Amino acid sequence: MEFQEYLRVERLPHVWCPGCGHGMITHALACALAELELDPRQTAVIGGIGCSGRAAFLFDMDAMHTTHGCAVVFATGLKLVRPTLTVVLTLGDGDAIGIGGNHFIHACRRNVDLTAIIYNNSIYGQTGGQVAPTTPVHRKSTTSPYGNLEHPFDIARLAIAAGATYVARTTSFDFPDMIKYIKRGIAHKGFSVIEVLTHCPTYYGRLNDLRDPYEMLHTMKEQTVPIEEWAQLTEEEREGKIVIGELHRQERPEFVESYYELIAQMRDGH
Amino acid sequence: MEIAVNRYEQGNFFLAIEPRRCKGCGVCVQSCPQGVLALNGEGKVEAKEIARCVFCGICEQRCPDFAISVYKERIIQPSLV
Ligand SMILES: Cc1ncc(C[n+]2csc(CCOP(=O)(O)OP(=O)(O)O)c2C)c(N)n1
Ligand code: SF4
Ligand code: SF4
Ligand code: SF4
Ligand SMILES: [Mg+2]
């Protein structure tokens, strides 16, 4: 199947603003599903609330648009009752680690076999550009007009510390890498996190003098350093840079499988 | 409803642009290494210099709106019989 066949192309043009990175990530996700030759009847996309969550609407398969921050919870339930389904999450940075931070770290800890794609645009896009737990320090948002005083979460590092067993980070500029990591995340048995750094030209861009989407893409890309080069950098050189690439991979018992194994054991015991 | 798709050909290769989906963000125009693309007066993208296109696929990868498709496989011509 071609990637277009995984999408509800009749819903295009989508609702995202001109130049928004969310379309690029969604394109890569559709390509990843197509390259893995997944059966759409055996795949589900679960979105949270936010511009990013709306990606779920675009997939021509079972999809859920859940409540803000709770997509991981719905997905965990779905995976438990339908363990053979491939379940992919499309989450915003606010959705995943702002309001949904608690659910997110516990899904990492449990190692549920889900693939979370985090559309990290460093801001609350849908509600008008409020500061997010990912907004870099000193950057502006509608609720930090003089610059953000708080330091942001590093989503990938948070996921690793909380126990996620596959963690990669890339940008919406790196199309082949988005596809590669999403494919590996889906193939990995356990909780996979693919953090995609992306751009919201409408709010983050406008408030931080980066109105042009192309310019934003490049500015973002220039801030990143591939993991292969990161080790050679001094602490000083790492200042203001973000490491990208496959950051973590680990084998650990997966929650849903362990759950069914326990059920089987209990049955045998009776 | 017939959906308009503009086709820009170079031999058997072509670009297909769906103006209805294009939001005129300009990302593809600035990303194209060959200067093939330009926005028209209605803010929609056109392949003004299709002869210079190298079918690298960058515009398709960068377009957030699924508005450009790059076809570089050899299109099998219908039999003349
Ligand atoms: C329980 C609840 N609280 C708050 C909101 C309002 N709300 C909607 S989307 C959103 C933030 C979206 O930001 P993010 O998750 O980063 O997604 P983006 O729009 O940036 O893609 C908020 C706070 C809500 N819908 N539900
Ligand atoms: S508000 Fe920002 S994140 Fe939301 S669609 Fe517009 S550009 Fe994208
Ligand atoms: S395929 Fe490459 S050369 Fe051709 S228009 Fe697109 S970006 Fe330009
Ligand atoms: S990137 Fe897509 S939406 Fe933006 S101008 Fe080009 S074709 Fe139009
Ligand atoms: Mg966001």
Side-chain angles (χ1 to χ4, degrees):
Chain A
M1 272 167 75
E2 296 289 324
F3 82 86
Q4 292 92 338
E5 294 171 82
Y6 287 83
L7 294 169
R8 296 181 197 267
V9 285
E10 70 280 6
R11 297 206 172 157
L12 298 172
H14 52 56
V15 295
W16 294 318
C17 308
C20 173
H22 286 1
M24 302 176 188
I25 306 172
T26 304
H27 185 176
L29 171 55
C31 289
L33 300 180
E35 287 184 19
L36 289 170
E37 298 181 6
L38 292 176
D39 177 356
R41 284 160 302 183
Q42 284 298 317
T43 313
V45 182
I46 318 294
I49 299 289
C51 298
S52 41
R54 303 190 70 117
F57 286 149
L58 289 174
F59 286 88
D60 194 10
M61 54 189 66
D62 283 335
M64 275 197 266
H65 197 202
T66 65
T67 48
H68 193 35
C70 299
V72 177
V73 181
F74 286 85
T76 302
L78 178 62
K79 186 72 188 175
L80 271 165
V81 293
R82 296 281 305 277
T84 56
L85 276 189
T86 297
V87 182
V88 179
L89 289 146
T90 60
L91 307 175
D93 46 312
D95 193 89
I97 59 129
I99 190 169
N102 199 42
H103 296 315
F104 180 75
I105 56 172
H106 290 288
C108 294
R109 178 179 65 81
R110 288 192 187 109
N111 198 30
V112 191
D113 187 21
L114 304 169
T115 302
I117 297 152
I118 306 193
Y119 292 54
N120 182 3
N121 56 9
S122 311
I123 207 152
Y124 287 172
Q126 180 157 294
T127 40
Q130 293 85 354
V131 74
T134 42
T135 308
V137 68
H138 307 317
R139 290 300 177 167
K140 290 179 182 160
S141 71
T142 48
T143 49
S144 58
Y146 307 109
N148 180 24
L149 294 177
E150 301 174 19
H151 286 260
F153 265 139
D154 177 325
I155 299 182
R157 280 176 64 198
L158 178 70
I160 297 169
T165 48
Y166 180 89
V167 180
R169 175 159 54 206
T170 184
T171 76
S172 48
F173 185 90
D174 299 288
F175 195 76
D177 282 351
M178 282 195 279
I179 298 176
K180 181 168 78 185
Y181 300 141
I182 295 171
K183 280 169 69 181
R184 289 186 187 168
I186 291 174
H188 174 81
K189 197 169 185 69
F191 196 70
S192 305
V193 177
I194 295 97
E195 178 189 359
V196 186
L197 305 174
T198 188
H199 53 290
C200 162
T202 299
Y203 291 109
Y204 192 86
R206 186 164 48 83
L207 295 163
N208 290 287
D209 300 324
L210 285 164
R211 184 75 235 227
D212 182 62
Y214 176 81
E215 204 186 308
M216 266 196 100
L217 254 180
H218 275 264
T219 309
M220 185 179 68
K221 179 62 192 163
E222 279 160 18
Q223 274 185 335
T224 62
V225 179
I227 186 152
E228 297 77 20
E229 293 165 29
W230 187 251
Q232 279 91 271
L233 298 188
T234 62
E235 275 304 314
E236 258 170 33
E237 287 168 329
R238 289 181 185 178
E239 194 59 39
K241 300 277 184 200
I242 302 169
V243 58
I244 54 167
E246 206 165 62
L247 305 178
H248 182 69
R249 196 171 199 156
Q250 180 196 351
E251 297 301 326
R252 195 154 61 76
E254 190 272 326
F255 179 71
V256 179
E257 201 171 69
S258 305
Y259 191 83
Y260 279 91
E261 273 168 20
L262 178 64
I263 293 174
Q265 276 172 23
M266 301 299 274
R267 282 212 179 108
D268 288 349
H270 283 88
Chain B
M1 191 185 75
E2 183 90 357
I3 293 168
V5 179
N6 296 330
R7 204 174 140 125
Y8 301 88
E9 297 177 355
Q10 198 194 94
N12 289 331
F13 295 3
F14 64 95
L15 297 187
I17 302 182
E18 217 174 302
R20 200 178 64 97
R21 294 183 187 171
C22 173
K23 294 179 186 153
C25 68
V27 169
C28 61
V29 178
Q30 294 176 80
S31 300
C32 174
Q34 293 293 103
V36 172
L37 307 166
L39 292 175
N40 66 19
E42 289 164 30
K44 302 283 183 183
V45 122
E46 285 179 12
K48 295 239 195 256
E49 304 282 350
I50 189 63
R52 281 160 52 179
C53 179
V54 292
F55 296 89
C56 63
I58 289 174
C59 53
E60 176 175 335
Q61 296 181 1
R62 296 270 185 277
C63 174
D65 283 275
F66 304 90
I68 307 186
S69 305
V70 179
Y71 291 91
K72 59 183 168 187
E73 292 92 54
R74 236 185 137 70
I75 310 298
I76 297 155
Q77 296 298 313
S79 158
L80 293 170
V81 181

